[in-house]
Amino acid sequence: MEKRTENMGLIDRLRKETALSREELGILLSTMTKEDAEYLYRNADEVRREHYGTDVYIRGLIEFTNYCRNDCLYCGIRRSNTRAQRYRLTTEEILDCCDKGYLLGFRTFVLQGGEDLFFTDEKICAIVSEIKKRHPDCAVTLSIGERQRESYEAFFKAGADRYLLRHETINPAHYRLLHPKELTIENRRQCLNDLREIGFQVGCGMMVGSPYQTLDYILDDLYFMKDFRPHMIGIGPFIPHADTPFHDRERGTLEDTLRLLAIIRLMNPRVLLPATTALGTIYPLGREMGIQAGANVVMPNLSPTGVRDKYMLYDGKICTGDEAAECRHCMELRMEKIGYHVVSARGDSKV
């Protein structure tokens, strides 16, 4: 019989009330044992099953440009990395990825790239409109960074359904240590608010184990995400890239990422929560463990294999050589093996 601990009592309350005091949540995160963590994962998995069953939604990820105007200290495609092999997919290549993905059962396409102003509002709108014209039963998600509100409005009018904009860290002091001075957390928060007001299903998210991160910063993120009530939350471990100022920093851990995934599920029961590629990069079964800890989304890569190893936000990225069909089939087998089922559906948020 499982021996009860005080932390298990806190987990029970978190599940029931979806919140704890800041002090209680800090104690839970800082004193959690392996047994506590297993109890946490079971509860998070049960809550996810209450709302989404054993369904795992797949998103077809298309990394269409690795040019970026920003110089974030942790990112491998930062503008000052002269070693990066830059590329841009053509409109035809992007649409071809979507057409192939549709035949494989994908019903959400995620267009992700650096902040590349070569792709003007007009170009993005034209791409989105054509995807929706060809595949009207699919959702289009954009993840292309900070733009003006007018740009977001145009994307939404063109047919984009969702927008991912990870905040990385909500604490201003910590944000300043990770980003160039022209980027501010205040502007990122404004972008997130604009996206929500316009009508997007909005995703934010934090980086786990980033340089200078403290428990207080993590708590700031957890309460921000709770208050903001996003439709999607994407978190993943920090993984250093050799050609960045943080090349010699320790990466985020599997343990911390899984625990935070589970905490986020209990605090945000209906949220869409991916088990990210970064999680699979730091541990071979990381994505499976993420699903078992409360996640319910995976994002196989639909990008052409010829560019996948150029979209390197961090070192060691997995699945750069697999064809789209291989990624789709592999993910389905991985999920079935642990008792979950990849489904061909848009997979809209229930928030």
Side-chain angles (χ1 to χ4, degrees):
M1 186 175 178
E2 185 175 62
K3 183 180 178 180
R4 296 281 300 176
T5 67
E6 291 185 12
N7 279 341
M8 289 177 185
L10 290 175
I11 292 166
D12 288 340
R13 279 189 44 219
L14 182 60
R15 176 174 177 174
K16 180 179 179 181
E17 302 170 14
T18 72
L20 294 172
S21 72
R22 187 180 177 98
E23 180 182 5
E24 289 171 328
L25 191 53
I27 290 171
L28 178 60
L29 285 170
S30 60
T31 65
M32 194 181 305
T33 65
K34 182 179 179 181
E35 291 71 27
D36 294 332
E38 292 300 325
Y39 187 73
L40 173 66
Y41 302 150
R42 289 202 303 274
N43 275 269
D45 182 55
E46 289 170 5
V47 168
R48 193 281 313 282
R49 288 173 185 255
E50 288 173 7
H51 298 290
Y52 292 100
T54 58
D55 289 350
V56 175
Y57 300 128
I58 54 170
R59 315 306 199 194
L61 180 63
I62 303 168
E63 297 160 335
F64 68 99
T65 176
N66 72 345
Y67 283 85
C68 191
R69 61 177 170 169
N70 295 331
D71 215 20
C72 303
L73 277 70
Y74 51 82
C75 184
I77 63 171
R78 64 198 305 261
R79 70 167 184 261
S80 63
N81 180 11
T82 58
R83 296 187 181 185
Q85 300 177 56
R86 304 292 179 175
Y87 73 92
R88 294 182 177 108
L89 298 184
T90 65
T91 296
E92 292 72 25
E93 288 173 321
I94 295 169
L95 294 172
D96 184 59
C97 290
C98 293
D99 291 344
K100 290 177 179 176
Y102 190 85
L103 295 176
L104 292 170
F106 289 91
R107 294 298 179 266
T108 289
F109 302 113
V110 180
L111 274 57
Q112 179 175 298
E115 292 197 16
D116 181 4
L117 297 187
F118 169 85
F119 285 96
T120 62
D121 292 355
E122 291 75 18
K123 288 180 181 178
I124 294 294
C125 288
I127 292 167
V128 170
S129 295
E130 184 60 27
I131 294 172
K132 297 293 280 194
K133 179 181 176 182
R134 295 188 185 192
H135 309 295
D137 56 332
C138 292
V140 174
T141 302
L142 296 176
S143 181
I144 54 176
E146 297 181 4
R147 300 230 179 177
Q148 297 297 315
R149 183 186 177 107
E150 293 75 19
S151 301
Y152 293 149
E153 289 172 340
F155 302 157
F156 189 71
K157 186 176 180 180
D161 303 273
R162 306 174 187 145
Y163 204 103
L164 302 176
L165 184 64
R166 291 203 341 182
H167 65 277
E168 306 298 1
T169 174
I170 206 65
N171 183 281
H174 190 210
Y175 196 90
R176 175 61 43 242
L177 294 171
L178 305 180
H179 299 88
K181 62 182 180 180
E182 64 266 22
L183 296 181
T184 67
I185 190 57
E186 290 77 18
N187 189 63
R188 185 145 293 212
R189 290 185 74 156
Q190 185 60 55
C191 288
L192 286 167
N193 288 330
D194 287 345
L195 289 162
R196 176 185 283 286
E197 289 174 7
I198 289 165
F200 280 98
Q201 294 178 39
V202 185
C204 60
M206 61 185 287
M207 189 161 35
V208 180
S210 57
Y212 311 110
Q213 189 176 61
T214 66
L215 177 60
D216 275 339
Y217 295 161
I218 292 171
L219 292 171
D220 289 343
D221 285 316
L222 291 173
Y223 285 108
F224 163 72
M225 293 185 290
K226 172 70 173 174
D227 292 340
F228 182 64
R229 296 188 71 249
H231 303 85
M232 305 163 283
I233 294 176
I235 76 166
F238 163 73
I239 304 175
H241 188 288
D243 298 319
T244 69
F246 292 152
H247 65 90
D248 58 351
R249 298 285 180 148
E250 291 292 323
R251 68 186 187 185
T253 68
L254 175 71
E255 177 184 81
D256 287 344
T257 308
L258 293 175
R259 292 178 181 187
L260 287 170
L261 277 172
I263 292 285
I264 288 168
R265 172 57 69 197
L266 295 185
M267 294 180 73
N268 308 269
R270 296 176 179 269
V271 79
L272 292 167
L273 189 60
T276 62
T277 301
L279 194 55
T281 296
I282 65 170
Y283 189 74
L285 297 178
R287 285 173 294 182
E288 288 92 327
M289 296 175 75
I291 294 294
Q292 292 170 318
N296 67 326
V297 174
V298 290
M299 298 173 67
N301 204 323
L302 292 180
S303 307
T305 55
V307 302
R308 287 194 203 171
D309 61 354
K310 297 180 177 67
Y311 198 84
M312 284 291 175
L313 308 183
Y314 50 81
D315 285 341
K317 179 182 171 186
I318 57 173
C319 301
T320 58
D322 295 341
E323 295 290 344
E326 292 176 310
C327 283
R328 168 71 166 81
H329 183 61
C330 173
M331 191 57 62
E332 189 165 9
L333 291 177
R334 283 173 172 266
M335 295 300 107
E336 293 288 341
K337 191 172 182 179
I338 58 171
Y340 301 83
H341 308 286
V342 167
V343 294
S344 289
R346 279 174 49 115
D348 288 300
S349 170
K350 297 183 180 180
V351 172

